[in-house]
């Protein structure tokens, strides 16, 4: 072997090592996320936020747990599997979770409404969309050919976080029943979780809640108030909340949907085919999408507040409403944990992130 050949081989070996290290660093730099969500159909804020996290190149989704809320859990699991299959994310493991809230129920909600007024939105309990929890209606987007893993979502959550202690962001876009069950089984979970990020609660906004003029009774938290009390009283390292107050500042516009429709990616074409058309004022508030965007690019959030936050579980007129005090107020530590609450955002930057992610090809992970 000549000195020149030896030199070339040495250079090539060093270059390959750099590439391998760079690849490893990129993978290590990805944010590890476990998603807990409630899908109510083919598209909507639940689906779109989930797809944002899946489409983000710097996010590694370790798994998805499904909970009842916007839809019945068996049907929601089928919706999720089929969407993942059609958008190129069918390799992500999905686990079916809680069928019912811990205490709240459809029957108790009917009784509450008879005394205090009818809710504008009740998710899977809305009379027009209600069906037996064990029945899975035929999906207009087709039946999935992939299946959920044979494990309850609460157990899957525990397993995932214990496999990656201190690394996982637990992201919740629906009711918190699965997380409460996981806490009951494994009280050490908050210490092993990097951060709890959730969409829920309402503070001072006068719209966007179950009662349209009362944002403090927000759907995700109202569905299972006792689960929220368990989760929000636990000792998480960090809690970040996207509330109704910031969500109602946004709207998914027809222009954004048209931009996405120009892309040929599976995700873009799925959304284009199945999303409801947006009117001049937009199609809906982007509730869960902000919570997803804040994980992907925290700079989108321009203002936050530190508040002690929990929920009212008195089974009276205030059942399911957000309760909160300033972080400086002295209050029992077992009940009140400080949360970082999103207050304002850079809307243009947020909208661009959303359209860019939904337009890009499904990342290989």
């Amino acid at each position: 072997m000549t000195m020149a050949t030896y030199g070339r081989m040495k250079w090539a070996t060093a270059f390959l090592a750099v590439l391998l290290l760079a690849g490893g660093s990129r993978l290590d730099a990805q944010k590890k996320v476990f998603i807990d969500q409630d899908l109510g159909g083919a598209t909507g804020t639940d689906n779109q936020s989930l797809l944002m996290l899946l489409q983000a190149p710097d996010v590694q989704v370790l798994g998805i747990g499904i909970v009842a809320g916007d839809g019945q859990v068996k049907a929601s699991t089928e919706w999720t599997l089929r969407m993942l299959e059609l958008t190129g994310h069918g390799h992500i493991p999905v686990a079916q979770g809680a069928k019912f809230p811990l205490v709240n129920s459809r029957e108790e909600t009917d009784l509450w409404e008879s005394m205090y007024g009818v809710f504008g939105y009740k998710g899977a309990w809305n009379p027009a969309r209600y069906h037996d929890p064990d029945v899975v209606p035929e999906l207009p987007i087709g039946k999935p050919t992939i299946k959920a893993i044979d494990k309850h979502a609460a157990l899957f959550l525990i397993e995932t976080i214990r496999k990656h202690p201190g690394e996982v962001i637990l992201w919740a876009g629906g009711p918190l029943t699965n997380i409460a069950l996981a806490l009951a089984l494994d009280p050490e979970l908050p210490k092993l979780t990097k951060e709890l990020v959730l969409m829920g609660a309402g503070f001072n906004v006068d719209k966007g809640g179950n009662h349209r003029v009362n944002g403090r009774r927000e759907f995700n938290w109202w569905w299972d108030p006792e689960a929220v009390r368990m989760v929000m009283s636990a000792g998480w390292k960090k809690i970040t909340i996207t509330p109704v107050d910031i969500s109602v500042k946004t709207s998914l516009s027809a222009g954004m949907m048209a931009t996405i429709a120009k892309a040929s990616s599976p995700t873009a074409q799925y959304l284009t085919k199945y999303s409801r058309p947006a009117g001049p004022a937009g199609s809906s508030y982007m509730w869960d999408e902000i919570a997803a965007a804040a994980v992907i690019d925290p700079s989108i959030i321009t203002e936050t507040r530190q508040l002690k936050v929990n929920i009212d579980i008195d089974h009276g007129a205030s059942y399911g409403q957000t309760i909160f005090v300033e972080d400086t107020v002295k209050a029992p530590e077992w009940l009140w944990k400080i949360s970082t609450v999103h207050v304002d955002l850079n809307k243009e930057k947020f909208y661009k992130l959303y359209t860019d992610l939904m337009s890009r090809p499904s990342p290989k992970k």
Side-chain angles (χ1 to χ4, degrees):
M1 180 186 297
T2 66
M3 288 299 294
T5 302
Y6 174 77
R8 286 194 294 271
M9 289 180 62
K10 187 176 181 181
W11 180 88
T13 301
F15 181 68
L16 178 60
V18 169
L19 286 178
L20 290 172
L21 285 171
S25 298
R26 186 187 65 80
L27 291 173
D28 292 341
Q30 285 185 318
K31 299 171 184 176
K32 293 180 174 65
V33 175
F34 185 96
I35 296 172
D36 198 83
Q37 185 60 292
D38 62 329
L39 272 73
T43 60
T45 189
D46 305 322
N47 314 60
Q48 288 149 196
S49 57
L50 193 154
L51 286 170
M52 286 178 73
L53 292 166
L54 289 167
Q55 289 284 108
D58 295 329
V59 171
Q60 180 186 6
V61 176
L62 301 175
I64 300 169
I66 302 300
V67 65
D70 282 329
Q72 303 286 15
V73 72
K74 286 189 175 182
S76 294
T77 302
E78 293 290 285
W79 281 112
T80 304
L81 292 168
R82 184 57 174 157
M83 183 185 74
L84 296 179
E85 195 172 45
L86 293 175
T87 57
H89 299 288
H91 60 287
I92 303 295
V94 176
Q96 183 174 298
K99 185 188 295 187
F100 302 114
L102 299 181
V103 176
N104 195 19
S105 67
R106 184 172 173 239
E107 293 74 21
E108 178 158 347
T109 296
D110 289 343
L111 177 62
W112 191 97
E113 288 180 306
S114 71
M115 294 186 288
Y116 304 114
V118 176
F119 290 119
Y121 180 69
K122 295 183 287 186
W125 297 337
N126 272 18
R129 65 195 298 188
Y130 178 78
H131 60 80
D132 186 279
D134 289 320
V135 172
V136 179
E138 183 177 348
L139 272 58
I141 62 175
K143 186 176 178 62
T145 62
I146 57 176
K147 295 185 180 298
I149 64 173
D150 188 19
K151 189 173 295 184
H152 192 282
L155 295 174
F156 184 36
L157 169 58
I158 293 170
E159 177 185 277
T160 303
I161 288 178
R162 284 204 166 269
K163 188 176 179 180
H164 306 277
E167 298 181 58
V168 180
I169 297 170
L170 174 51
W171 187 95
L176 303 183
T177 317
N178 287 340
I179 302 174
L181 291 172
L183 287 174
L185 293 167
D186 189 349
E188 298 298 310
L189 208 61
K191 297 178 183 177
L192 301 172
T193 304
K194 183 176 181 179
E195 181 181 0
L196 173 65
V197 177
L198 56 89
M199 190 280 140
F203 297 89
N204 300 304
V205 71
D206 60 353
K207 58 183 176 180
N210 288 34
H211 282 146
R212 299 303 182 186
V213 295
N214 178 9
R216 287 185 62 196
R217 184 178 282 110
E218 181 272 332
F219 173 78
N220 284 348
W221 281 26
W222 162 84
W223 175 270
D224 194 344
E226 282 73 19
V228 175
R229 174 63 71 93
M230 286 180 64
V231 172
M232 292 302 297
S233 302
W236 306 94
K237 294 178 182 178
K238 183 180 180 182
I239 303 173
T240 301
I241 300 175
T242 296
V244 169
D245 307 61
I246 188 173
S247 304
V248 297
K249 296 181 179 184
T250 63
S251 179
L252 178 56
S253 69
M256 292 164 64
M257 294 170 70
T259 298
I260 293 167
K262 295 175 184 177
S264 60
S265 70
T267 294
Q269 290 307 302
Y270 175 89
L271 292 173
T272 300
K273 184 174 183 179
Y274 297 113
S275 292
R276 295 183 296 272
S283 63
S284 65
Y285 299 135
M286 300 181 77
W287 315 88
D288 298 3
E289 292 93 333
I290 301 173
V295 169
I296 299 164
D297 183 0
S299 69
I300 282 170
I301 303 300
T302 59
E303 184 181 351
T304 62
R305 286 195 70 185
Q306 300 298 303
L307 296 171
K308 293 178 178 177
V309 186
N310 217 301
I311 195 166
D312 194 322
I313 56 172
D314 177 21
H315 286 243
S318 61
Y319 184 50
Q321 289 199 153
T322 306
I323 54 177
F324 60 99
V325 294
E326 293 177 332
D327 63 337
T328 55
V329 173
K330 291 184 178 180
E333 291 187 5
W334 65 267
L335 174 64
W336 297 100
K337 302 295 186 294
I338 295 176
S339 301
T340 299
V341 178
H342 294 154
V343 175
D344 209 350
L345 76 165
N346 183 328
K347 285 200 289 187
E348 295 309 312
K349 191 172 184 179
F350 167 61
Y351 293 152
K352 185 177 188 307
L353 175 69
Y354 177 80
T355 54
D356 287 350
L357 287 174
M358 297 313 196
S359 300
R360 74 188 302 271
S362 301
K364 294 179 180 179
K365 297 181 179 178

